[in-house]
Amino acid sequence: MNPFQINESKETVFSPVSTDRVPPRPPGPPEKSPPKICGTNYPLSVAFIVVNEFCERFSYYGMKAVLTLYFLYFLHWDEDTSTSVYHAFSSLCYFTPILGAAIADSWLGKFKTIICLSLVYVLGHVIKSLGAIPVLGGQMLHRVLAVIGLSLIALGTGGIKPCVAAFGGDQFEEKHAEERTRYFSVFYLSINAGSLISTFITPMLRGDIQCFGEDCYALAFGIPGLLMVIALVVFTMGSKMYRKPPPEGNIVAQVVKCIWFAISNRFKNRSGDIPKRQHWLDWAAEKYSKQLVTDVKALTRILFLYIPLPMFWALLDQQGSRWTLQATRMDRNLGFFVLQPDQMQVLNPLLVLVFIPLFDLVIYRLVSKCGINFSSIRKMAVGMILACLAFAVAAAVEIKIDEMAPPKAGPREIFLQVLNLADDEVKVTVLGDNNNYLLEESIKSFQKTPHYSKLHLNTKSQDFHFHLKYHNFSVYTEHSVEEKNWYSLILHGNEKNISSMLVKDEENKTTNGMPAVRFVNTLHKDVNISLGKDVALSVGAAYGVSPYRAVERGEYPAVHFRMEDKDLYLNLGRLDFGAAYLFVITNSTNQVPKTWKMEDMTASKMSIAWQLPQYALVTAGEVMFSVTGLEFSYAQAPSSMKSVLQAAWLLTVAFGNIIVLVVAQLSSLVQWAEFILFSCLLLVVCLLFSIMGYYYVPVKSEDIQGPEDKQIPHIQGNMINLETKNTKL
């Protein structure tokens, strides 16, 4: 979370004037003081702004927390597409602040801009929530509504981002500068509080509540939308209390025009007869004031240091995409609590609140006492190194997860398991096109092969010959298979006959890391099984096979199923994270159906707690990089350029998300290798940034003050000494 810039009032110096020529002005009517909070110097209006910011950040981070899983499991995009769209949305959220700042500064003012774009924000949430209702239209409509809703949300959240904090600062009188500083601390706290609570609650709304037989994404998006409505209502309630300064002109546009004019003017006057100028921006002196040109020079020195920064954001923002996808393949049972995979993101705002005082009050002071000059640029470089280490840890965790996961079928490969439901042992031999032996197993009754066997094909699709030896006779059968698929060969029969059927399995049996179940019905009647609210399966008679269905983790001692007019119950036992279970329904001796349970895929053994080190490292890096970077930038830039720096800082976040988008689409690396790639890229960028910082000469505060900031010398004679007055522009 980035600290927000405090709007500083401009200092206007009045030229000394003769006392004989200036008649005394009659005193004007006293300005009515705005209502205060409980007798303090804090305007009551800022309470509405802080509550508005809390609700808006709850809305944004709550919606964003479940976004990747929504793409993956509701819109059915693959992991790379889901990651790309997630980061495209994040990038757009950091491009639109420039548009919002331009509208506020040049046209509507901050108050009207916040109102108008908040309405756009709410509309985006409504459309996004409608697109998450399964019964509303088909897959194409859901995707169209998702794209439209996210675009409007990006315009709304980005457009109001540069306005709300500054508008809160406008509510304070100049004599209450200390209270204004404390207000920004409370404002920053409200941002993290909204993020912390929403990233914990919305994954629970998604995963713990079922809508239309699946995860309730409509509710997970609807509640953040409701919070945005509350944010708009609360902000509007304080309308009569606000101080609403008029638009002051867009300084960002002035900077861009100044730079463009300097470049074009230099290009027009490239003749050797024209004398050179000390700095390339001096070519703008014909049109723009000396002070503006000087300020833009100071700005460009800092913007040059910004060039490597997007790479850091490329790593930091993957907490909501790649790291969330990693969490879906881990055991989320912590003993005292069961986490949703997207709830791990709550660690970031929580650790930010812990690390900021820890670094400021403990670590930085200890480093200073050791005599180490821990400059701002060095802090940012260390922050980059911590992010590199975080991704190295993430890669190690990913490698361990891959070791425990079943392998993937490649080109001209399949995976096959054999399930024997006959009443005696069966010897199975699998032959290829050339009668070459591919697999030979002896499987006892109501057993299966211990694992899937990898078989190689000669073409993309091929016929396999199966030789089944059962009692004293043999049966030959043939089944067709296609590459990159998983299959189960189910055998059934009695002493006089043996039959087989080949069933295609799903490679990713589990959804969102939850347990998955399927049933084989050996009875001669259809059965309907109820696995909980809105989760039902119908399995056909005589060895019908159901598809896999994801269910909640837990104990299932009495699962209701109906066979014709009979209501019966099955004991499925415990179903754990990441496991896929096969249940065979058979008759028992007392004619009461029972189930035979086995694991198609073992439960995840890698605890989600192993993600804690990578979250701690990347958050520590964020505190050292982000907070320090903004402080350094503002200290080095002229006061008139601070709004431009805010826009430039947000743009580095936008470009960082674009880097992830490009890598996700173009890289064909496995996930752990992609983590290593990002870690190495940031390490190289950190080295370049350190070299650039080594040659950077910090500017002292007195060197970046404009002429309007300096005191007027004492003047003798009939002229009076005028003090510099802080005048609100």
Side-chain angles (χ1 to χ4, degrees):
M1 314 304 168
N2 295 338
F4 286 83
Q5 169 192 354
I6 301 173
N7 276 11
E8 299 178 1
S9 61
K10 307 295 183 182
E11 293 184 340
T12 303
V13 177
F14 295 91
S15 300
V17 200
S18 170
T19 54
D20 297 335
R21 300 173 58 184
V22 181
R25 293 185 179 181
E31 183 180 351
K32 185 178 180 181
S33 178
K36 299 295 195 294
I37 299 176
C38 300
T40 65
N41 291 324
Y42 294 92
L44 182 59
S45 56
V46 300
F48 295 93
I49 297 173
V50 169
V51 174
N52 165 270
E53 183 66 12
F54 170 83
C55 294
E56 189 275 327
R57 291 291 87 184
F58 186 109
S59 171
Y60 175 73
Y61 285 109
M63 176 274 304
K64 196 176 177 184
V66 300
L67 203 54
T68 299
L69 300 185
Y70 167 74
F71 293 152
L72 190 65
Y73 299 120
F74 188 87
L75 298 184
H76 301 294
W77 286 332
D78 58 37
E79 290 192 1
D80 288 339
T81 303
S82 300
T83 301
S84 298
V85 178
Y86 176 89
H87 287 283
F89 167 71
S90 299
S91 178
L92 186 59
C93 289
Y94 286 95
F95 275 118
T96 50
I98 297 179
L99 178 62
I103 294 173
D105 291 343
S106 307
W107 180 26
L108 294 178
K110 298 184 186 72
F111 176 76
K112 291 183 179 178
T113 301
I114 294 170
I115 293 293
C116 294
L117 292 183
S118 293
L119 290 171
V120 174
Y121 202 160
V122 170
L123 178 61
H125 270 297
V126 171
I127 295 175
K128 187 76 188 66
S129 301
L130 291 175
I133 299 176
V135 297
L136 185 64
Q139 196 68 246
M140 181 56 66
L141 179 61
H142 294 155
R143 293 178 178 180
V144 170
L145 291 177
V147 171
I148 295 174
L150 288 175
S151 301
L152 293 176
I153 291 172
L155 176 59
T157 187
I160 67 176
K161 192 186 293 289
C163 301
V164 179
F167 187 68
D170 291 341
Q171 307 308 307
F172 290 85
E173 301 173 68
E174 291 305 318
K175 58 184 178 182
H176 299 144
E178 184 178 351
E179 286 81 1
R180 181 173 58 191
T181 302
R182 291 175 182 170
Y183 153 74
F184 277 96
S185 299
V186 175
F187 186 87
Y188 183 61
L189 180 64
S190 71
I191 293 173
N192 285 276
S195 171
L196 178 67
I197 297 172
S198 64
T199 50
F200 184 77
I201 290 179
T202 51
M204 296 173 65
L205 297 176
R206 173 198 60 77
D208 295 345
I209 299 175
Q210 295 288 307
C211 298
F212 308 101
E214 54 188 67
D215 284 354
C216 199
Y217 290 100
L219 183 63
F221 291 138
I223 295 300
L226 178 61
L227 263 292
M228 190 57 220
V229 173
I230 295 174
L232 177 58
V233 171
V234 170
F235 183 77
T236 307
M237 286 170 60
S239 176
K240 295 183 179 180
M241 304 180 193
Y242 296 139
R243 299 172 66 184
K244 305 171 185 175
E248 299 175 357
N250 192 353
I251 187 64
V252 177
Q254 293 181 39
V255 171
V256 172
K257 290 177 182 178
C258 179
I259 294 174
W260 176 253
F261 181 79
I263 296 173
S264 59
N265 194 30
R266 177 67 183 90
F267 183 77
K268 293 175 184 176
N269 297 279
R270 61 186 183 276
S271 172
D273 299 332
I274 301 175
K276 295 182 178 180
R277 301 187 183 182
Q278 186 176 5
H279 194 280
W280 63 273
L281 276 169
D282 290 333
W283 290 96
E286 283 86 345
K287 185 175 181 180
Y288 295 94
S289 67
K290 182 179 179 180
Q291 184 59 45
L292 179 63
V293 173
T294 303
D295 288 351
V296 174
K297 286 180 183 178
L299 177 70
T300 54
R301 295 177 70 248
I302 301 172
L303 292 182
F304 178 69
L305 286 177
Y306 276 15
I307 294 175
L309 303 192
M311 197 66 224
F312 176 84
W313 301 115
L315 275 70
L316 183 69
D317 282 358
Q318 290 189 55
Q319 296 173 77
S321 57
R322 294 299 199 193
W323 286 12
T324 298
L325 294 174
Q326 183 186 72
T328 63
R329 302 191 297 275
M330 305 178 76
D331 181 7
R332 305 195 298 276
N333 182 18
L334 299 178
F336 57 90
F337 189 76
V338 178
L339 281 174
Q340 297 293 341
D342 34 3
Q343 275 182 315
M344 280 299 287
Q345 299 173 59
V346 79
L347 283 174
N348 179 254
L350 178 62
L351 291 174
V352 164
L353 296 176
V354 173
F355 283 166
I356 286 180
L358 176 65
F359 276 76
D360 287 342
L361 302 178
V362 180
I363 295 178
Y364 291 156
R365 292 186 179 184
L366 288 176
V367 171
S368 178
K369 287 184 177 181
C370 293
I372 300 174
N373 180 19
F374 209 20
S375 64
S376 297
I377 290 179
R378 289 179 180 177
K379 290 178 184 177
M380 295 175 69
V382 172
M384 290 182 175
I385 293 173
L386 290 174
C388 293
L389 293 175
F391 266 68
V393 173
V397 172
E398 190 70 23
I399 291 172
K400 194 66 178 177
I401 293 173
D402 288 345
E403 289 177 358
M404 299 179 178
K408 293 186 176 182
R412 299 193 179 184
E413 290 179 351
I414 67 162
F415 282 93
L416 176 71
Q417 72 170 353
V418 182
L419 172 63
N420 180 15
L421 301 182
D423 57 2
D424 204 350
E425 182 177 353
V426 179
K427 183 178 181 181
V428 181
T429 304
V430 183
L431 304 173
D433 285 341
N434 301 322
N435 290 327
N436 54 315
Y437 283 78
L438 300 177
L439 176 68
E440 189 171 9
E441 289 277 356
S442 291
I443 307 164
K444 294 181 179 180
S445 175
F446 279 83
Q447 297 291 330
K448 72 179 186 68
T449 48
H451 54 77
Y452 280 89
S453 300
K454 182 193 292 185
L455 305 181
H456 296 274
L457 311 182
N458 297 325
T459 57
K460 291 184 178 181
S461 60
Q462 184 178 333
D463 290 334
F464 277 173
H465 305 281
F466 294 87
H467 176 209
L468 309 177
K469 190 173 182 181
Y470 176 68
H471 289 175
N472 296 323
F473 58 89
S474 298
V475 174
Y476 289 89
T477 185
E478 186 176 286
H479 295 288
S480 180
V481 296
E482 296 180 355
E483 65 175 358
K484 299 182 181 180
N485 284 311
W486 295 60
Y487 293 94
S488 290
L489 181 70
I490 300 177
L491 310 177
H492 58 88
N494 49 37
E495 294 181 357
K496 300 180 180 179
N497 189 26
I498 185 75
S499 300
S500 67
M501 60 180 180
L502 192 67
V503 179
K504 183 185 289 188
D505 298 340
E506 300 175 30
E507 180 181 352
N508 296 317
K509 302 176 179 63
T510 62
T511 301
N512 196 14
M514 303 305 292
V517 296
R518 74 169 174 179
F519 294 84
V520 177
N521 179 19
T522 66
L523 308 178
H524 297 289
K525 298 176 182 178
D526 295 346
V527 297
N528 295 301
I529 304 170
S530 176
L531 291 163
K533 184 179 179 181
D534 298 326
V535 182
L537 285 172
S538 180
V539 191
Y543 297 94
V545 182
S546 74
Y548 281 99
R549 288 297 301 270
V551 296
E552 293 292 324
R553 170 189 175 275
E555 298 284 347
Y556 289 80
V559 172
H560 174 263
F561 86 98
R562 187 174 181 82
M563 185 173 60
E564 291 185 339
D565 57 347
K566 293 182 180 180
D567 290 318
L568 303 166
Y569 294 90
L570 300 173
N571 181 10
L572 304 186
R574 183 177 181 82
L575 307 181
D576 222 333
F577 284 121
Y581 299 94
L582 174 65
F583 293 95
V584 181
I585 303 174
T586 62
N587 267 325
S588 64
T589 54
N590 56 1
Q591 299 301 310
V592 177
K594 65 176 183 178
T595 57
W596 174 53
K597 175 184 178 181
M598 61 182 173
E599 287 189 358
D600 277 351
M601 183 185 295
T602 58
S604 175
K605 298 295 190 296
M606 190 74 174
S607 173
I608 199 171
W610 284 103
Q611 281 196 323
L612 181 59
Q614 65 200 56
Y615 271 96
L617 284 169
V618 82
T619 306
E622 178 188 2
V623 170
M624 298 191 71
F625 179 90
S626 178
V627 177
T628 305
L630 273 176
E631 291 174 354
F632 169 78
S633 302
Y634 291 149
Q636 293 295 293
S639 59
S640 63
M641 296 289 111
K642 295 187 188 296
S643 61
V644 185
L645 266 177
Q646 176 71 7
W649 184 268
L650 295 175
L651 280 179
T652 63
V653 183
F655 284 115
N657 282 276
I658 290 177
I659 292 173
V660 184
L661 190 155
V662 172
V663 172
Q665 286 298 312
L666 300 182
S667 172
S668 57
L669 299 173
V670 295
Q671 190 55 67
W672 68 264
E674 187 179 292
F675 285 156
I676 294 294
L677 172 65
F678 275 108
S679 182
C680 293
L681 287 175
L682 184 57
L683 192 60
V684 172
V685 167
C686 178
L687 179 61
L688 295 175
F689 177 75
S690 300
I691 295 172
M692 294 164 63
Y694 179 78
Y695 289 101
Y696 179 83
V697 180
V699 180
K700 298 179 180 179
S701 58
E702 58 268 21
D703 296 333
I704 60 175
Q705 289 178 342
E708 68 274 14
D709 297 324
K710 298 178 180 178
Q711 295 288 337
I712 302 171
H714 182 76
I715 301 175
Q716 302 290 339
N718 63 347
M719 309 296 285
I720 60 172
N721 252 341
L722 296 183
E723 295 179 351
T724 303
K725 300 295 182 183
N726 290 325
T727 304
K728 184 79 176 175
L729 291 182

